[in-house]
Amino acid sequence: MDNFQAIETKADNHVAGWVTTTDSAKLWVEIHGQGRPVVLIHGWTMSSRFWRRQLPLADHFQIITVNLRGHGKSQSTLRGQTVPRYARDVRDVIRSLHLDNILLMGWSMGGCVVLDYWQQYGSANLSALGLVESCPAPLSAGPWNVHNCRENNLPALRGTISRLNEDRESFGTDFIHRMFISGEAPDHALKWMLHEQLKTDTETAARIYEDYVQRDYTAILPTIDAPTIVVHGRSRHMCFGPSTGRFVAGSIPNARFVILEKSGHMPFYEEADAFNAELTHFLEQHA
């Protein structure tokens, strides 16, 4: 494995370590299981730990979780806090681990990283895509868009960054609560999720959020000719939900659209069994 430095080997099927990118950033990557690779990309100010309930899939597939630069255990850098650079980082991981026939799946902002990967590299090393609770154009005025920055609302963008800077812990606590369908995170989840969220320093969080919100990947969607699964929750709190999901899936030829009714912004966590079953079925259909 080129540019991969294994640090932890907890079992024969679990290896973790560093991938060094082409611009010398160090990314923390964990590999679970063997078989067809499923590469999971987390959302803004999150980490690979949020995919913990997908690890049982390693009984049948190789589950690879990546901490984006500046997130989780990965190195933070002054440069490179853009979605296109994050997509190149994912490409560096794929090449370093010599992966092929991959399902590349992204959650929220991570979905835009997946779309940018497709824009830059097409189907290189990929056989399928997954988009979870992802908005392809947060500033869009389209009726499908429920992002708080919709209709080119730059004051809302600046307001989010201002609140982030004013009280990071309070911001993070509110953010995590709103990801759950009830609007309130269980105490045990809030504790570890906030811990992970605060690993992304405030400057990095602001830089990548500003970059992500102003990007528009809607024109990329119709160009995707790989099998794609689009999964969304249903919530009145933080949730891109059915309208965004229907737009995204309807714009990608032959995409599969799944709504998990008892989930908010984290269907893979709140309804892990149903999510994993849907993903397994999709992978079996597109082996």
Side-chain angles (χ1 to χ4, degrees):
M1 295 182 181
D2 302 330
N3 295 326
F4 177 69
Q5 180 185 6
I7 302 296
E8 300 176 6
T9 304
K10 297 181 179 179
D12 290 341
N13 64 348
H14 179 192
V15 179
W18 302 104
V19 167
T20 302
T21 67
T22 51
D23 66 344
S24 301
K26 295 178 69 175
L27 307 180
W28 184 256
V29 176
E30 298 201 23
I31 306 166
H32 302 260
Q34 298 179 340
R36 183 179 178 184
V38 176
V39 178
L40 300 174
I41 309 299
H42 60 77
W44 176 67
T45 65
M46 303 292 120
S47 75
S48 60
R49 194 176 176 192
F50 283 77
W51 298 108
R52 61 197 299 179
R53 292 184 173 178
Q54 280 55 67
L55 297 186
L57 292 170
D59 290 343
H60 305 285
F61 308 101
Q62 186 176 61
I63 304 300
I64 299 157
T65 59
V66 181
N67 284 312
L68 297 170
R69 69 171 62 199
H71 294 70
K73 291 185 178 181
S74 289
Q75 181 182 5
S76 189
T77 60
L78 290 176
R79 295 184 178 181
Q81 302 301 337
T82 69
V83 176
R85 179 64 247 189
Y86 283 12
R88 290 194 289 275
D89 290 348
V90 171
R91 179 67 175 161
D92 290 342
V93 170
I94 288 170
R95 297 183 70 178
S96 293
L97 301 182
H98 301 291
L99 302 177
D100 203 11
N101 192 30
I102 302 162
L103 168 70
L104 179 61
M105 173 171 275
W107 162 43
S108 196
M109 183 192 74
C112 288
V113 175
V114 169
L115 294 175
D116 204 290
Y117 183 101
W118 184 270
Q119 184 177 37
Q120 293 189 59
Y121 307 109
S123 61
N125 302 95
L126 307 183
S127 57
L129 302 182
L131 301 171
V132 182
E133 274 286 306
S134 187
C135 177
L139 295 182
S140 173
W144 53 268
N145 185 22
V146 296
H147 196 284
N148 73 326
C149 293
R150 62 188 175 276
E151 297 183 346
N152 202 40
N153 191 345
L154 294 177
L157 168 59
R158 290 192 290 270
T160 296
I161 292 175
S162 178
R163 291 191 300 275
L164 182 77
N165 283 313
E166 285 171 3
D167 189 339
R168 180 64 190 283
E169 186 166 341
S170 177
F171 178 94
T173 299
D174 178 65
F175 190 90
I176 291 163
H177 279 309
R178 290 188 295 112
M179 289 197 296
F180 284 81
I181 192 167
S182 67
E184 185 173 351
D187 288 343
H188 70 279
L190 177 61
K191 183 177 180 180
W192 75 258
M193 289 181 180
L194 182 60
H195 178 74
E196 291 299 302
Q197 209 259 1
L198 293 175
K199 287 181 179 178
T200 302
D201 68 73
T202 302
E203 183 177 3
T204 294
R207 284 188 179 193
I208 186 57
Y209 187 77
E210 187 170 12
D211 180 84
Y212 149 65
V213 165
Q214 296 184 81
R215 293 194 179 272
D216 184 345
Y217 293 99
T218 53
I220 302 303
L221 301 175
T223 72
I224 297 172
D225 56 10
T228 303
I229 184 169
V230 178
V231 185
H232 281 250
R234 188 189 293 274
S235 173
R236 65 182 183 275
H237 305 291
M238 183 201 303
C239 181
F240 295 136
S243 63
T244 302
R246 288 192 187 95
F247 171 78
V248 171
S251 300
I252 299 172
N254 302 312
R256 173 167 171 71
F257 180 43
V258 177
I259 297 177
L260 295 184
E261 300 284 350
K262 299 179 182 179
S263 301
H265 195 49
M266 297 187 293
F268 54 88
Y269 186 85
E270 290 196 89
E271 293 184 82
D273 290 345
F275 181 92
N276 292 348
E278 290 283 357
L279 185 55
T280 298
H281 178 65
F282 175 78
L283 286 164
E284 289 172 347
Q285 280 189 317
H286 301 283

